[in-house]
Amino acid sequence: MAKKKNLMTFNYQIGSFSDKEVGKFVILLSGKKIAYHVGEYEVKMEEFLGRLSNESNVLINVKTGDYKQSYLNILGYFKSFLVKHKKVGYLIDYDLEDDLSFSIANAIYSFIKSAVAENGGGSVRLKNRLMTKDKTLLRNVFIKKGGIYIVTGGTGGIGQKIVNYITAMGGVPVVLGRSSTLVVKDDFVSLPIDITERNKLGSELRKYGVDRCHGIFHFAGSISDKLILNKEERLTNVILSKVDGLLNLMNCCSDFEFVVLASSLVSIAGNIGQSDYAFANGFLNGFSQIKSLKENFATFSLLWPFWKYGGMKMDLKEQETMQNITGLEPISDEEGLKILFEGKKVLGCTAVLGGHLEKAYDWINSKGKVVLDEL
């Protein structure tokens, strides 16, 4: 817990549901296919949508590790569903033996949070079999003198502040990004790399001897606000930079002791126009939980609020509106870095709330069944 009165960190876990709540409506995601079932029968999407009512619960069963096709399938469904304006409940289950299935389920949960916001009602819950309140899972992030640390999104905003901190602590930051300038020094490396291109990423990291590193800070990201009905049915950089970027880093780097992922409170609260952004951050949340709780590897997904001087901008009027509705206030660089490098974080997901904490806490819980345990 941060010591400042209006800034706190919480162990974030999604609430669950019972099998008794599952009704006759099932959406099955398997391989590249999406199938719709009403009772024992598979039906076309049009019939499935026509038989839904405002009291229906729809089970989405994720049986695939293909996040790209899952996003396209779920986007296509909701582009049709939102035309009907029905306020149904969604229950999401997954294959616990498939790590990517769990991550995709979390991504879909976050996507639907934004879909619900656009629809003006409805609900979504995820069957979370990994829920824990074990405070022994708390960890800090330490920078070793001379240690090599990969930083994505390090050319501006929060990423640049992380780079400065690593340098100040005697570490060697390795900044990756398409807009980076090639710099190779003993105490600083910058490589102009698209992290969504796995083969090129791996060869460049090996070429400069930075594939073996001590830690990864994955803070790459962008937003492109657009209602679901207006979203193009394709993978955008909003998703690819976060999800492909993460998977590629995990594949191309070795020996690292921890991974820190920059997620967002949007992944649990939803936001109109940010369904793809929510999907990407939800994937990070799920990935962090499965790596930490199932494999006991130090993976942290930090669900940030708005940073006052971060790369994503919000004008004063928007900030005031946010504060009035949510109780959240922008956090400063000092506060964010204190949480990142000094504050205790739970393995898995840590939500960061700043501002009027009681109002912010109530606002998040009004968005659905979540569990926030103060650290």
Side-chain angles (χ1 to χ4, degrees):
M1 179 179 69
K3 292 183 179 180
K4 189 173 180 180
K5 185 176 180 181
N6 71 337
L7 185 69
M8 301 180 75
T9 54
F10 295 82
N11 173 20
Y12 156 65
Q13 298 284 348
I14 299 173
S16 191
F17 63 88
S18 69
D19 292 337
K20 294 180 180 179
E21 298 177 77
V22 177
K24 61 182 180 180
F25 297 101
V26 177
I27 296 176
L28 177 63
L29 292 171
S30 60
K32 295 185 178 299
K33 182 182 178 183
I34 182 169
Y36 304 92
H37 295 266
V38 179
E40 299 178 359
Y41 301 98
E42 183 174 343
V43 300
K44 293 184 177 181
M45 180 175 66
E46 292 75 13
E47 180 179 348
F48 185 87
L49 290 172
R51 296 181 65 172
L52 292 178
S53 69
N54 286 341
E55 292 75 36
S56 300
N57 273 341
V58 175
L59 174 67
I60 299 178
N61 204 344
V62 182
K63 298 289 187 181
T64 178
D66 187 342
Y67 90 83
K68 295 180 179 180
Q69 192 61 50
S70 296
Y71 171 76
L72 295 175
N73 284 337
I74 211 68
L75 173 63
Y77 166 77
F78 272 95
K79 284 172 76 75
S80 296
F81 169 80
L82 289 176
V83 173
K84 306 293 183 179
H85 291 290
K86 295 181 180 180
K87 300 176 176 63
V88 307
Y90 287 93
L91 312 173
I92 305 174
D93 205 352
Y94 49 88
D95 181 0
L96 189 56
E97 299 304 313
D98 185 337
D99 293 356
L100 286 180
S101 169
F102 178 76
S103 300
I104 293 167
N106 275 266
I108 292 173
Y109 169 89
S110 297
F111 178 98
I112 297 177
K113 278 288 186 177
S114 288
V116 166
E118 293 185 22
N119 198 37
S123 63
V124 57
R125 282 177 286 163
L126 174 73
K127 193 152 193 176
N128 194 342
R129 304 189 188 98
L130 294 178
M131 186 173 293
T132 178
K133 296 183 180 180
D134 187 354
K135 299 297 179 65
T136 64
L137 295 177
L138 290 174
R139 297 286 192 278
N140 284 335
V141 172
F142 296 105
I143 301 299
K144 296 180 178 179
K145 189 173 182 178
I148 296 174
Y149 297 93
I150 303 290
V151 183
T152 67
T155 57
I158 304 170
Q160 183 60 57
K161 298 167 180 64
I162 294 172
V163 169
N164 294 341
Y165 182 92
I166 293 171
T167 300
M169 299 302 293
V172 180
V174 178
V175 179
L176 306 180
R178 286 174 295 182
S179 60
S180 298
T181 302
L182 179 61
V183 179
V184 181
K185 299 180 179 179
D186 290 341
D187 59 352
F188 177 78
V189 177
S190 174
L191 302 177
I193 296 177
D194 185 344
I195 60 173
T196 67
E197 298 180 11
R198 178 177 294 187
N199 291 337
K200 185 175 180 180
L201 174 63
S203 64
E204 289 293 291
L205 292 178
R206 292 189 297 272
K207 176 180 177 180
Y208 294 102
V210 292
D211 53 316
R212 299 177 64 180
C213 60
H214 293 82
I216 297 173
F217 295 88
H218 184 38
F219 277 64
S222 61
I223 56 174
S224 179
D225 292 2
K226 192 180 292 185
L227 294 176
I228 289 174
L229 292 175
N230 298 325
K231 296 277 188 189
E232 296 181 25
E233 294 193 37
R234 63 182 181 85
L235 273 295
T236 64
N237 194 57
V238 174
I239 295 176
L240 293 174
S241 61
K242 280 185 174 286
V243 181
D244 260 13
L246 168 62
L247 298 177
N248 292 343
L249 288 168
M250 298 297 291
N251 180 269
C252 296
C253 298
S254 62
D255 296 348
F256 47 91
E257 299 168 353
F258 62 80
V259 176
V260 180
L261 307 174
S263 183
S264 167
L265 290 177
V266 169
S267 63
I268 57 175
N271 198 23
I272 294 173
Q274 294 189 336
S275 56
D276 51 355
Y277 181 68
F279 181 96
N281 285 299
F283 187 97
L284 300 190
N285 296 345
F287 184 90
S288 183
Q289 290 183 78
I290 203 79
K291 292 292 287 186
S292 296
L293 303 180
K294 194 174 176 182
E295 300 180 23
N296 196 31
F297 181 77
T299 314
F300 309 90
S301 186
L302 299 178
L303 284 63
W304 294 110
F306 181 70
W307 281 55
K308 190 172 184 178
Y309 302 109
M312 297 182 184
K313 305 299 182 184
M314 184 184 296
D315 62 36
L316 292 177
K317 186 175 181 180
E318 290 173 322
Q319 291 182 38
E320 183 178 351
T321 300
M322 176 184 72
Q323 292 168 21
N324 291 337
I325 294 174
T326 69
L328 293 169
E329 296 178 3
I331 64 174
S332 68
D333 297 347
E334 180 183 0
E335 291 169 330
L337 291 174
K338 187 176 183 65
I339 287 174
L340 180 55
F341 291 106
E342 299 178 31
K344 288 186 176 180
K345 295 162 286 298
V346 70
L347 295 182
C349 298
T350 297
V352 181
L353 303 183
H356 191 300
L357 293 178
E358 184 176 351
K359 184 175 182 179
Y361 185 90
D362 290 343
W363 170 73
I364 286 183
N365 276 288
S366 74
K367 295 293 184 176
K369 189 175 180 182
V370 297
V371 178
L372 288 168
D373 294 321
E374 182 181 337
L375 300 179

